[in-house]
Amino acid sequence: DGGITQSPKYLFRKEGQNVTLSCEQNLNHDAMYWYRQDPGQGLRLIYYSQIVNDFQKGDIAEGYSVSREKKESFPLTVTSAQKNPTAFYLCASRGIAGTRVENEQFFGPGTRLTVL
Amino acid sequence: GDSVTQMEGPVTLSEEAFLTINCTYTATGYPSLFWYVQYPGEGLQLLLKATKADDKGSNKGFEATYRKETTSFHLEKGSVQVSDSAVYFCALSFNTGNQFYFGTGTSLTVIP
């Protein structure tokens, strides 16, 4: 089955440590996204990538970094510069242009990061 | 700019009640409109969508009609079940560009 996987589901880190969240997809999608969700709030865009080796900042990129070395993978690093990193992080991809799902986003199950 | 505004929650209904969650949008151009559902501790799942004016999206008893004249895409279900308890997000996107715009989500709790 095609889809998006995120690991781990729960992640605990000490304050001041960098941490990398994994996102992998086997849908052959070009565009991938990272969102942050805080309790009772909507989604805020952190970064997105349209193709390999290219990515753009979203609305709240400060304190985060990404890479896109492979089409299937879009890892997010939460750095120590992120002032309040405890949140639920969602990875998504966009359906292929020219297909029935071209405007849809497909989401992974999320990673809940808690910084102690 | 482009945006989505949806009804604030939380919403609590008894089983078999009628559900409406309001969603309006602001967009330059002709977006596609979506409703996503998020169950506790999970990612978002597409519930239904509509890609042009007057289209009706439907799935699992939920419906929403793309109303260009009122820039709305209200979600409705005639008889909710306990299993419908979740957070519902209205969203829009365009054929061009890569941004998606989400509402803030509406939490629904259905009690037996």
Side-chain angles (χ1 to χ4, degrees):
Chain A
D1 282 341
I4 298 179
T5 57
Q6 292 185 244
S7 60
K9 190 165 179 65
Y10 299 96
L11 191 54
F12 297 89
R13 280 295 182 269
K14 292 183 179 178
E15 196 170 340
Q17 287 182 333
N18 291 356
V19 60
T20 297
L21 282 59
S22 166
C23 176
E24 303 280 330
Q25 55 103 355
N26 61 2
L27 299 166
N28 199 33
H29 289 170
D30 289 311
M32 297 185 73
Y33 305 76
W34 273 105
Y35 294 94
R36 171 180 172 141
Q37 186 178 27
D38 293 285
Q41 297 192 27
L43 306 179
R44 291 187 289 171
L45 182 64
I46 304 172
Y47 268 97
Y48 67 99
S49 167
Q50 299 180 54
I51 56 172
V52 173
N53 293 323
D54 180 70
F55 45 82
Q56 287 80 41
K57 293 181 179 180
D59 301 318
I60 57 164
E62 185 175 350
Y64 299 97
S65 66
V66 293
S67 63
R68 187 83 187 277
E69 297 176 1
K70 299 187 300 181
K71 189 175 188 177
E72 301 79 16
S73 180
F74 190 40
L76 173 75
T77 296
V78 184
T79 75
S80 57
Q82 168 51 232
K83 292 184 174 56
N84 185 18
T86 294
F88 189 53
Y89 291 88
L90 287 162
C91 180
S93 66
R94 180 180 182 141
I96 298 171
T99 68
R100 182 179 55 84
V101 297
E102 68 175 323
N103 282 346
E104 294 178 25
Q105 278 203 314
F106 296 77
F107 285 85
T111 292
R112 185 165 300 281
L113 172 66
T114 302
V115 175
L116 306 170
Chain B
D2 303 311
S3 66
V4 174
T5 302
Q6 68 181 98
M7 166 179 157
E8 289 196 16
V11 174
T12 302
L13 295 173
S14 297
E15 206 165 21
E16 299 183 3
F18 184 85
L19 168 71
T20 299
I21 301 178
N22 289 338
C23 171
T24 58
Y25 67 90
T26 301
T28 51
Y30 303 97
S32 293
L33 301 174
F34 307 86
W35 278 101
Y36 283 85
V37 59
Q38 184 180 34
Y39 298 102
E42 297 183 9
L44 276 68
Q45 303 172 26
L46 180 66
L47 180 59
L48 54 84
K49 71 175 186 180
T51 57
K52 60 183 187 298
D54 300 325
D55 268 2
K56 177 187 282 188
S58 61
N59 186 25
K60 300 180 181 178
F62 291 90
E63 293 183 340
T65 301
Y66 189 165
R67 301 283 188 203
K68 185 165 175 281
E69 63 276 13
T70 55
T71 61
S72 65
F73 193 54
H74 305 321
L75 182 68
E76 296 182 336
K77 186 174 185 182
S79 175
V80 293
Q81 305 301 312
V82 171
S83 57
D84 294 327
S85 299
V87 180
Y88 293 81
F89 291 91
C90 187
L92 70 82
S93 73
F94 296 91
N95 286 346
T96 57
N98 281 282
Q99 290 264 24
F100 288 76
Y101 300 88
F102 288 87
T104 53
T106 302
S107 174
L108 170 67
T109 301
V110 180
I111 55 177

